[in-house]
Amino acid sequence: PAAAQTPLLPGVDNPSAAALPTRAPAPAALSPSLVAPAAALPPRQAAAPAERPAAARAARKPVRAQLKRLARSKPAAQFDGAGGFDSSAVGSGKLGRVSSQPDARTLALSNYLSPRLAKAVPSRADFSPKVKHWGMMLNDKIGDCTVAAAGHQIQQWTANAGAQRTPSDRSILSAYEAVSGYVPGDPSTDGGADMLTVLKYWRKTGIARDKIGAFASVDPSQFDHIRTAIWLFGGAYLGLAMPKSAQGQKVWDVPAGGATGAGAPGSWGGHAVAAAGYGPKGLLIVTWGELKWMTWDFLKTYGDEAYAIISRDFLRNGKTPNGGLDLAALKADLETVADVRASRGSGKRPVRPRPLERARRRR
């Protein structure tokens, strides 16, 4: 992605007052003069450059380092699609995601992505290796998966940006009580929570003293957008209508019989998970304190909610590559949405949000 000098979002800490750094530029194309003519090569022999420009070698270093790390990591086979699609089974905890009510004020990530960004997003990414221990976050005892997934995102962001922070069970419980009405000791009040309510609470009040900067919805069936969200923001917040057929599966996948019977969406219940990475065959997620794989087909069939979250921790430490994401337009829309909320609360006539295209023309 090209370098960008765009200010951060309102409310997001930026001690250095510097613009978001970008990833290293893509490797420069090799000059035809450096490559031997194809006709001169023996059969089945690939052409090799006589000398690679220094700028191209430098640009490829981060990519090589990431590929080497993935090759050494345990789930490397899944990222590369080699050696099958094996995965460790995880202990089953509790479900607890309630479908969110539509809110017209929720921003869509697709409005802020440029076509060139999809080409820049790598085919695989993994933010999980730096997390030392995930933890159940009470999701084996209560249906707080929506808040537990938020806790796992906090761990992931902080581990990759610097020193890992793990929300305490007490802070997770406090947030779950606030968003769901749960009363400890009264199972009848353990009815779960919806993801939008959690996101709004997380942004306004915070979870474990961590406040997010903003969030935007992502269509789970648009895999390019899901990959972009994970790569840009160090994860994604996913809502699943879980089928009974997923119980005991090492890798969550659509059963051979399709999405009917035990494979019907929601036949098991609703669940929220944090995405930690992705590869050619699917997504690496965190659920019930462990890493688990799901196929892209599973996400397309059972994913009915997804969000990209702009984390203060991730942005402040310069881990978000800003290439193609229209942060200026996002900032303008966020300010307009805030004005609408303030006007409604004061009794004044609310100001309608400007269409994104109009806001761009004004700039």
Side-chain angles (χ1 to χ4, degrees), residues 261-278:
S267 55
W268 184 7
H271 192 37
V273 299
Y278 62 83

Side-chain angles (χ1 to χ4, degrees), residues 290-354:
E290 299 286 348
L291 291 172
K292 191 172 183 69
W293 282 92
M294 71 164 70
T295 65
W296 289 110
D297 195 25
F298 186 90
L299 177 64
K300 182 177 180 179
T301 305
Y302 303 109
D304 56 6
E305 236 178 323
Y307 300 91
I309 303 173
I310 300 177
S311 159
R312 296 169 181 270
D313 299 299
F314 215 55
L315 281 175
R316 186 176 58 216
N317 290 276
K319 297 295 183 179
T320 298
N322 179 22
L325 183 70
D326 194 343
L327 283 181
L330 181 57
K331 175 182 176 181
D333 283 4
L334 285 172
E335 290 174 345
T336 304
V337 171
D339 290 342
V340 171
R341 290 173 177 166
S343 299
R344 287 175 177 169
S346 64
K348 298 180 181 179
R349 183 179 178 181
V351 179
R352 292 182 177 277
R354 294 193 308 269

Side-chain angles (χ1 to χ4, degrees), residues 133-159:
H133 175 69
W134 295 101
M136 185 66 76
M137 300 199 179
L138 300 177
N139 202 200
D140 56 339
K141 299 180 177 64
I142 55 178
D144 68 335
C145 61
T146 51
V147 180
H152 292 142
Q153 286 270 234
I154 293 171
Q155 288 180 296
Q156 190 164 289
W157 288 326
T158 56

Side-chain angles (χ1 to χ4, degrees), residues 206-231:
I207 295 175
R209 297 183 180 180
D210 181 283
K211 289 185 179 182
I212 57 176
F215 60 88
S217 65
V218 186
D219 184 349
S221 66
Q222 297 295 317
F223 299 156
D224 284 346
H225 293 178
I226 293 291
R227 283 189 284 262
T228 300
I230 296 173
W231 178 61

Side-chain angles (χ1 to χ4, degrees), residues 1-2 4-7 9 20 108-118 216 228-229 231-233 308-310 315 320-331 360:
Q5 298 294 324
T6 309
L9 296 176
L20 289 174
L109 184 66
S110 59
N111 290 337
Y112 308 96
L113 301 179
S114 69
R116 66 184 178 127
L117 185 57
T228 300
W231 178 61
L232 278 179
F233 305 118
I309 303 173
I310 300 177
L315 281 175
T320 298
N322 179 22
L325 183 70
D326 194 343
L327 283 181
L330 181 57
K331 175 182 176 181
R360 285 174 175 166

